[in-house]
Amino acid sequence: MQPLQLLDASVRAQFPLFTSTASAMPLIYLDSAASTQQPTAVIAAVSDYHRQSHANIHRGVYQLSQTATRLYEEARLTVARFLNAADPAECIFTRGATESINLVAACWGAANLHAGDEIILSTLEHHSNIVPWQLIAQKTGAQIRVIPINDAGELELEAYRQLLSPRTRLVAVNQVSNALGTINPVREIIAAAHAVGAVVLIDGAQWVAHGVTDVQALDADFYVFSGHKLYGPTGIGVLYGKRHLLDAMPPYQGGGDMIEQVTFERTTYAPLPSKYEAGTPNISGAVGLATAIKWVEALGLAQISAHEQALLQHATARLSAIFGLEIKGTAAQKSGVVSWVVVDPPLSTLDIGVELDLRGICIRTGHHCCQPLMERLGIAATARASFGVYNNLDDIDRLADALTEIIAAARAKQSAQLEKGGWEDLKLTTAASPAAAAAEIAEVFEFLPDWPQRHQYVIDLGDKLPPMPAALKTAATAVHGCQSTVHIAARLAPGSTDMIEFLADSDANLVRGLIALLQQLYSGQSAAAILAFDAEAFFASIGLDQHLSMSRRNGLAAMVQRVRQLAQRVVIS
Ligand code: PLP
């Protein structure tokens, strides 16, 4: 085991978010793989640019415009040095990794892919390195092949070599998996692809903030990353491409700055990099990104890597000691990412995320935009902690202690729960209408002063929900659009011609609580009354939507939709 080499606490002190006294609870931020926080140096550089130097670039003859142009182009020089690109013109500013990949797929793909050609991706890819290739494959008739992984979450390199053939035109893989943290041997992957004449795109979104990048040493044809995962601003990223490839590709978007000459008959295009930067770019974003790069370099990528490896080592040891928790992704080479599921007792990742949030701990839960990977692992989601320069061992200990507490509470609750359920246990609402039931719920919410107490109330309601018999959990009752598993079965109440009752269940406690709220609103009401009630407006009016992520709000909307569809059927029949 390596000795722990941690960065000094003065690094964390440079991040205003962690020194703010606005919140009563110290914030533990463990979601840097989604987005890193920004140090004062970056915030100040963006702010100074807006205060002192902003004008449109490349066009104005006045001094201010020339200053803005200089800052923007200096940012490009910084990016080129950071990546060790041979020529700054090979570094195109984009909105981020996603846009960079879409650009290559659309432009390089349109010019180079034909029916029967093959694109190789890997099981570890983020959707942003899958969907753009599917779009261009559909247009060109190219086929997508996928590198498998082993159970540790490492690419099967032998299988990769077997996939390579003269039909392979492009290989697109990430350098680090955002969901599992696996560091991929990209140099080897590139060399093997080049041996069959294929071009390689490396998605460096999860690498650039964690180790030195040298596109020439890698011999990458395209390399992409985003500023907001590198302590920089959102809305700015980079596409690096070898000049001969970028020169030969058609432009991505048409507009100002990307042209040499325009007539109504014909347009000629500007040279690199302008050819791919149509319109006014994110100038302050480029300035912020360059500052972030210099800030990271001053700290030293070797020191950052040692710090994150120390956190990873500690987190792996602490989390794997928790009974019932399983770490997903155990590759020999990993970056500062730990993904896990809780299997005993089974706990949905949504509940884990919400419970940790109530303790001031931010982690990511869900499929991490890697649904094919989740499918390969046989799970719907993981909970993920990812580390940055500001994290310390205490953050990890707080996470591990909170998880131990959450799992122990879930275990105690599980053993106390009686096995009951089915339609017989269903208590129909006594409210006269959904609106009357809504008023009762709103009154309780009003009485509870804050989100932690309202959350607990919703969870308690969910605990009282009668479990749905396994026989009713079929494909027909499954609700799509929810990240957790949800089933809703509805029927006409026995002896009634228009009264609906429904049973529902979910693997997530919070969703069970939402189902209980829906039951209070709807179960035992007439189909016409259900259709007349605007549940979404009601949930917004009690502020519930503010505390639900977008996917959860969509899930709630999907459940409401399902009940309304069933009510509709009753009205029509
Ligand atoms: N690739 C990987 C591996 C990622 O983790 C992400 C974001 O999480 C992306 C691409 C997309 O990055 P962005 O949303 O900044 O475009």
Side-chain angles (χ1 to χ4, degrees):
M1 231 183 230
Q2 296 288 316
L4 302 184
Q5 290 175 42
L6 291 153
L7 288 166
D8 199 79
S10 65
V11 174
R12 186 181 178 105
Q14 294 179 50
F15 289 80
L17 194 82
F18 301 118
T19 52
S20 146
T21 50
S23 154
M25 229 181 319
L27 182 72
I28 301 200
Y29 186 76
L30 295 169
D31 198 18
S32 292
S35 213
T36 44
Q37 298 298 337
Q38 293 170 36
T40 305
V42 171
I43 298 167
V46 173
S47 162
D48 288 350
Y49 167 80
H50 286 297
R51 286 169 193 276
Q52 294 155 20
S53 313
H54 174 62
N56 210 326
I57 55 169
H58 294 159
R59 282 162 276 218
V61 292
Y62 49 91
Q63 200 56 49
L64 191 63
S65 171
Q66 287 174 19
T67 302
T69 304
R70 177 177 56 73
L71 291 172
Y72 184 72
E73 291 306 329
E74 279 175 5
R76 195 187 310 280
L77 297 181
T78 303
V79 168
R81 188 177 39 68
F82 180 62
L83 295 179
N84 193 30
D87 176 353
E90 295 176 317
C91 299
I92 315 290
F93 283 120
T94 62
R95 284 196 296 126
T98 302
E99 189 176 50
S100 301
I101 298 170
N102 274 279
L103 191 161
V104 177
C107 303
W108 181 90
N112 294 284
L113 291 173
H114 302 99
D117 287 346
E118 291 181 355
I119 299 167
I120 297 183
L121 309 177
S122 91
T123 310
L124 292 175
E125 297 318 306
H126 188 279
H127 296 164
S128 61
N129 200 23
I130 299 174
V131 185
W133 301 112
Q134 286 173 335
L135 292 171
I136 194 67
Q138 278 157 14
K139 279 193 190 142
T140 57
Q143 302 290 313
I144 290 177
R145 312 291 303 269
V146 183
I147 311 171
I149 55 168
N150 62 20
D151 292 339
E154 293 162 320
L155 295 181
E156 301 256 24
L157 290 180
E158 200 35 55
Y160 165 58
R161 285 192 199 94
Q162 282 173 18
L163 286 175
L164 287 167
S165 79
R167 290 186 301 279
T168 312
R169 301 304 313 277
L170 179 124
V171 176
V173 291
N174 60 40
Q175 190 159 0
V176 175
S177 150
N178 60 308
L180 303 182
T182 312
I183 300 177
N184 293 318
V186 287
R187 193 191 286 253
E188 221 175 309
I189 290 171
I190 294 170
H194 285 171
V196 297
V199 160
V200 184
L201 177 140
I202 300 295
D203 172 0
Q206 296 293 343
W207 169 260
V208 287
H210 310 284
V212 174
T213 310
D214 183 336
V215 289
Q216 292 190 79
L218 288 178
D219 201 14
D221 299 299
F222 296 107
Y223 195 97
V224 308
F225 71 91
S226 297
H228 69 99
K229 296 183 198 288
L230 179 60
Y231 306 98
T234 54
I236 187 80
V238 171
L239 163 64
Y240 159 82
K242 285 181 181 164
R243 179 181 267 283
H244 74 97
L245 293 169
L246 292 172
D247 272 338
M249 285 156 45
Y252 186 45
Q253 294 179 326
D257 235 24
M258 53 76 72
I259 55 94
E260 188 181 60
Q261 195 175 18
V262 180
T263 66
F264 276 110
E265 287 70 42
R266 165 167 190 273
T267 293
T268 52
Y269 306 120
L272 296 176
S274 302
K275 175 177 162 191
Y276 292 105
E277 292 183 3
T280 302
N282 183 354
I283 310 165
S284 66
V287 170
L289 173 58
T291 309
I293 288 176
K294 288 180 194 157
W295 186 86
V296 161
E297 286 175 332
L299 214 54
L301 279 153
Q303 280 81 344
I304 292 175
S305 166
H307 174 83
E308 290 169 352
Q309 288 299 317
L311 297 176
L312 175 68
Q313 189 180 316
H314 189 58
T316 307
R318 288 272 346 240
L319 266 57
S320 47
I322 300 176
F323 183 79
L325 184 151
E326 257 179 30
I327 292 184
K328 294 286 170 186
T330 51
Q333 302 294 322
K334 273 183 68 168
S335 73
V337 170
V338 183
S339 250
W340 71 91
V341 291
V342 175
V343 289
D344 183 11
L347 206 51
S348 88
T349 58
L350 167 71
D351 289 328
I352 298 171
V354 174
E355 287 288 344
L356 289 174
D357 180 46
L358 290 168
R359 292 161 174 80
I361 303 174
C362 312
I363 61 148
R364 179 74 180 264
T365 59
H367 53 60
H368 314 291
C369 299
C370 292
Q371 283 180 331
L373 171 61
M374 295 295 127
E375 198 184 332
R376 160 65 179 82
L377 298 174
I379 51 180
T382 72
R384 177 191 75 184
S386 53
F387 314 129
V389 291
Y390 27 67
N391 293 120
N392 55 32
L393 297 178
D394 192 42
D395 291 348
I396 311 278
D397 286 335
R398 293 265 310 268
L399 169 72
D401 292 347
L403 283 170
T404 307
E405 185 183 300
I406 293 165
I407 294 171
R411 191 163 288 132
K413 192 153 116 182
Q414 189 194 40
S415 50
Q417 254 164 8
L418 296 169
E419 196 41 58
K420 50 180 182 170
W423 297 106
E424 307 73 50
D425 281 322
L426 194 59
K427 286 189 196 62
L428 298 186
T429 181
T430 50
S433 64
E440 285 171 16
I441 298 169
E443 203 174 316
V444 178
F445 264 65
E446 185 111 337
F447 176 71
L448 299 170
D450 52 21
W451 168 241
Q453 293 198 42
R454 290 174 184 175
H455 169 262
Q456 192 53 49
Y457 170 70
V458 176
I459 295 287
D460 290 346
L461 284 180
D463 286 348
K464 292 185 204 119
L465 203 64
M468 190 174 183
L472 284 176
K473 292 184 183 171
T474 61
T477 61
V479 179
H480 301 288
C482 306
Q483 264 188 25
S484 342
T485 312
V486 177
H487 288 91
I488 297 184
R491 65 174 190 182
L492 275 179
S496 163
T497 51
D498 76 338
M499 191 192 283
I500 303 258
E501 59 181 28
F502 71 88
L503 273 178
D505 201 0
S506 167
D507 59 339
N509 290 330
L510 181 57
V511 178
R512 285 174 57 78
L514 297 176
I515 290 170
L517 285 178
L518 284 180
Q519 280 210 339
Q520 280 194 24
L521 290 172
Y522 288 146
S523 202
Q525 301 290 354
S526 73
I530 289 173
L531 291 174
F533 182 70
D534 186 347
E536 281 182 47
F538 165 64
F539 286 125
S541 76
I542 60 170
L544 198 60
D545 59 340
Q546 285 170 33
H547 295 289
L548 300 179
S549 65
M550 191 151 54
S551 60
R552 194 60 42 213
R553 285 202 302 273
N554 291 342
L556 183 57
M559 290 194 284
V560 169
Q561 200 51 33
R562 171 60 68 90
V563 179
R564 289 179 64 86
Q565 277 165 1
L566 297 162
Q568 190 86 45
R569 235 181 276 156
V570 170
V571 169
I572 293 169
S573 57

